[in-house]
Amino acid sequence: AKKFDEAIEQYTKAIKLDPKDATYPANRANVYLKMEKWAEAEKDCDAALKLKKDHAKVSAQTNIIAFGSQCFS
C-alpha cells in the first residue's frame, strides 16, 4: 500500500506541474484501480479524457471501473 500511496503522491505533483498532460491522471487512475478506489479512478479517467478524448488506455480503464464498481462495491 505504501508504494501505491507514493505513486499517487508523485502523480498528483506531476498533474499540478503539467495539468494539460493526460498521461498523469491516466496513470494515477491506474494506481487507484489497483487499490480498488473506483470513484477516484473514474474522476481521473474523466479528467484524462477531457484532455485527450481518444486516450486508449483511459477508455479501457473506464470499462474496468464500471465492472469493478458493480462487482466489488
Side-chain angles (χ1 to χ4, degrees), residues 11-27:
Y11 285 127
T12 300
K13 287 179 183 178
I15 291 166
K16 288 178 183 177
L17 290 172
D18 191 359
K20 295 187 183 212
D21 189 335
T23 304
Y24 302 126
N27 287 347

Side-chain angles (χ1 to χ4, degrees), residues 15-65:
I15 291 166
K16 288 178 183 177
L17 290 172
D18 191 359
K20 295 187 183 212
D21 189 335
T23 304
Y24 302 126
N27 287 347
R28 188 172 69 178
N30 194 47
V31 177
Y32 282 132
L33 282 174
K34 290 177 181 180
M35 298 172 74
E36 297 184 6
K37 292 189 173 189
W38 311 113
E40 292 89 339
E42 184 174 24
K43 182 179 172 186
D44 276 352
C45 283
D46 289 345
L49 287 172
K50 285 180 185 175
L51 295 168
K52 186 176 178 187
K53 293 185 186 327
D54 62 342
H55 201 297
K57 179 179 180 179
V58 175
S59 295
Q61 288 172 329
T62 55
N63 291 332
I64 294 167
I65 292 166

